[in-house]
Structure formats: structure tokens, C-alpha cells
């Protein structure tokens, strides 16, 4: 299996621009998570989906952030408009509920820099 | 809400020696899972070891083992015979065993340096 695939690996954009991060989970996994990692706050859960349905979006910082999962093999995290404080590494992860102690499998992350 | 605390922002160890990273957590649940993840400079998150709360036996994976103290809500990671490749950020994480609570809650991490 190719693992969780995220794109792009790096994104540099100017304040006010729209940013879209993409994720392909591991085939067969029914949970998908978006995390953000910063030095100050560590790893924060933004939102997660179960069978393509958003379950908990309480970590989404504000309305500028939105996430979708149109099908089992694709999810996006969009920031519009972007701000410098959004600069962070964004991770996508997936897991399978059928395994009791299933760990999260992470992608390699997208490093976002907003100037 | 559950919280995970890693009280050591940085640790260092000599190559071939043993080091223990600390983790404590707060929960009112009786069944849950605990994980240690490693994040090398490549930033990939790699699962090191996992433990289920109802299992009293401490998990081991080669040179990595845990000391799980449920009553104390402590979950430390021991790395034996440390290698240069062990240098990384290490994150402790908690997950509820209740259905529908699949999210991981992470500690802030411990940066491990391995000295040759």
C-alpha cells in the first residue's frame, strides 16, 4: 500500500490567497483526520471524518477553514483567505475502525508558508 | 477532555545507552489506547509502539518498551541501546476506546538527541 498521500509537500502563498491541501487516505480506511502542527501548539486536531461524514470539526480555527471528503479516497482542506498565522505543517491521517487498537497512519504533511 | 503531558521538552542520550521519555495523561475512562510516535527531521510520523489500557503487560517492540502505570496514568517509553537514527521528536498520544472517538490527543513532544 502506498500509505496516506498528501499534496503538495510544500506550499508558499501570499496572505489573502486561497490554499487547498489534498489527501488520499489508505484504501479501506474509514476514518480520516486533519491535524495541524506548530511549534507553539503542537499537534492539533482540526477535523475528522468517518465514512466521508464530518464527525467533529470543533478544532477548525475559524470560518476561513473548510474541509470536505467527497468520496472515500479523497479529502481537501481549504483556507480562504489565508493569513500568516496559518503557517504550519498540515497532516492528514487515516485509520480503520475494524482493528481495535488501530493506530493513525500519517501522510508526510504539507508545509504551508503564508507571507 | 483528555489531556496528554510530556514534561521533558528535550532529552539527550549517548549512543548505545538507555533513555526513558515520560508521558502522563488525564482521563476518566477505563479503557483506552496509548501510543508513541516518532517524528524524525523528515517530519514523517512513525508509530513506535502501542498499548491498550486493559492489558497489564507492558508492550515491547525490539529496543522500545513502555512502562504503563494505569493507576498513576503514566506511560513512559524506554529506548535501549540507543542509535543515532533514534534522534527525533517523540510524541505520546491517547485515544479513547469508545466507539466514535477515534481521534488521537497528542502531547507536545520530547526532542531526543543521540550523541555519538
Amino acid at each position: 500500500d502506498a500509505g496516506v498521500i498528501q499534496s503538495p509537500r510544500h506550499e508558499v502563498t501570499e496572505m489573502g490567497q486561497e490554499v487547498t491541501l489534498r489527501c488520499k487516505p489508505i484504501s479501506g480506511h474509514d476514518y480520516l483526520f486533519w491535524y495541524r502542527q506548530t511549534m507553539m501548539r503542537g499537534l492539533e486536531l482540526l477535523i475528522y471524518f468517518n465514512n466521508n461524514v464530518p464527525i467533529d470539526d470543533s478544532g477548525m480555527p475559524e470560518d476561513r477553514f473548510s474541509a470536505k471528503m467527497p468520496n472515500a479516497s479523497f479529502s481537501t482542506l481549504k483556507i480562504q483567505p489565508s493569513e500568516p498565522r496559518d503557517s504550519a505543517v498540515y497532516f492528514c491521517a487515516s485509520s480503520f475502525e475494524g482493528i481495535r487498537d488501530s493506530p493513525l497512519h500519517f501522510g508526510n504533511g504539507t508545509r504551508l508558508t503564508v507571507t | 477532555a483528555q489531556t496528554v503531558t510530556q514534561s521533558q521538552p528535550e532529552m539527550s542520550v549517548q549512543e548505545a545507552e538507555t533513555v526513558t521519555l515520560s508521558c502522563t495523561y488525564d482521563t476518566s475512562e477505563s479503557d483506552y489506547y496509548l501510543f508513541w510516535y516518532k517524528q524524525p527531521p523528515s517530519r514523517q510520523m512513525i508509530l513506535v509502539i502501542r498499548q491498550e489500557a486493559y492489558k497489564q503487560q507492558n508492550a515491547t517492540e525490539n529496543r522500545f518498551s513502555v512502562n504503563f502505570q494505569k493507576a498513576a496514568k503514566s506511560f513512559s517509553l524506554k529506548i535501549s541501546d540507543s542509535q543515532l537514527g533514534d534522534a527525533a521528536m517523540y510524541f505520546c498520544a491517547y485515544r479513547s476506546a469508545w466507539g466514535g472517538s477515534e481521534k488521537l490527543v497528542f502531547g507536545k513532544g520530547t526532542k531526543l538527541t543521540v550523541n555519538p
Side-chain angles (χ1 to χ4, degrees):
Chain A
D1 197 320
V4 176
I5 299 173
Q6 289 187 248
S7 63
R9 184 155 175 80
H10 304 277
E11 177 78 38
V12 180
T13 191
E14 292 184 348
M15 183 174 63
Q17 297 298 306
E18 177 180 296
V19 176
T20 299
L21 311 182
R22 297 173 175 79
C23 175
K24 176 180 169 55
I26 292 174
S27 177
H29 281 191
D30 50 2
Y31 279 86
L32 184 139
F33 305 80
W34 284 100
Y35 281 86
R36 178 172 68 176
Q37 184 179 30
T38 60
M39 288 292 293
M40 291 295 294
R41 301 174 69 92
L43 279 154
E44 303 173 277
L45 177 66
L46 300 178
I47 185 172
Y48 74 98
F49 296 82
N50 177 218
N51 292 323
N52 314 337
V53 176
I55 301 301
D56 183 355
D57 65 354
S58 60
M60 296 286 262
E62 47 197 276
D63 292 346
R64 298 185 297 106
F65 286 69
S66 62
K68 294 182 180 179
M69 192 165 186
N71 57 61
S73 59
F74 184 65
S75 177
T76 60
L77 178 67
K78 184 177 295 186
I79 309 172
Q80 166 62 18
S82 58
E83 296 182 3
R85 60 191 167 123
D86 302 330
S87 298
V89 178
Y90 291 81
F91 285 100
C92 176
S94 68
S95 70
F96 176 55
E97 186 181 13
I99 300 174
R100 184 168 161 82
D101 61 346
S102 175
L104 265 58
H105 298 264
F106 284 81
N108 287 333
T110 294
R111 180 176 294 280
L112 174 64
T113 303
V114 184
T115 60
Chain B
Q2 293 83 17
T3 58
V4 177
T5 302
Q6 294 179 248
S7 59
Q8 307 152 316
E10 297 188 23
M11 292 282 285
S12 64
V13 63
Q14 290 298 125
E15 195 175 4
E17 296 194 345
T18 296
V19 64
T20 298
L21 308 183
S22 301
C23 173
T24 58
Y25 56 93
D26 185 27
T27 185
S28 58
E29 297 176 338
S30 59
D31 197 12
Y32 46 85
Y33 309 101
L34 298 165
F35 303 86
W36 278 97
Y37 278 85
K38 169 185 177 181
Q39 187 179 39
S42 66
R43 81 170 182 244
Q44 185 181 8
M45 293 288 285
I46 302 165
L47 177 67
V48 174
I49 199 164
R50 73 187 88 171
Q51 174 86 38
E52 185 159 10
Y54 80 86
K55 292 183 179 178
Q56 294 191 352
Q57 186 173 6
N58 289 325
T60 62
E61 288 286 344
N62 301 314
R63 297 182 297 106
F64 298 87
S65 61
V66 298
N67 183 5
F68 173 50
Q69 302 288 329
K70 190 173 183 179
K73 296 180 183 176
S74 171
F75 183 61
S76 60
L77 175 69
K78 185 171 81 171
I79 306 174
S80 304
D81 186 24
S82 297
Q83 301 176 359
L84 295 177
D86 295 334
M89 285 290 291
Y90 286 82
F91 294 93
C92 179
Y94 171 102
R95 200 191 94 197
S96 172
W98 291 101
S101 299
E102 300 290 328
K103 64 183 181 182
L104 282 184
V105 177
F106 286 90
K108 291 289 179 68
T110 296
K111 181 179 181 181
L112 178 66
T113 301
V114 181
N115 300 309

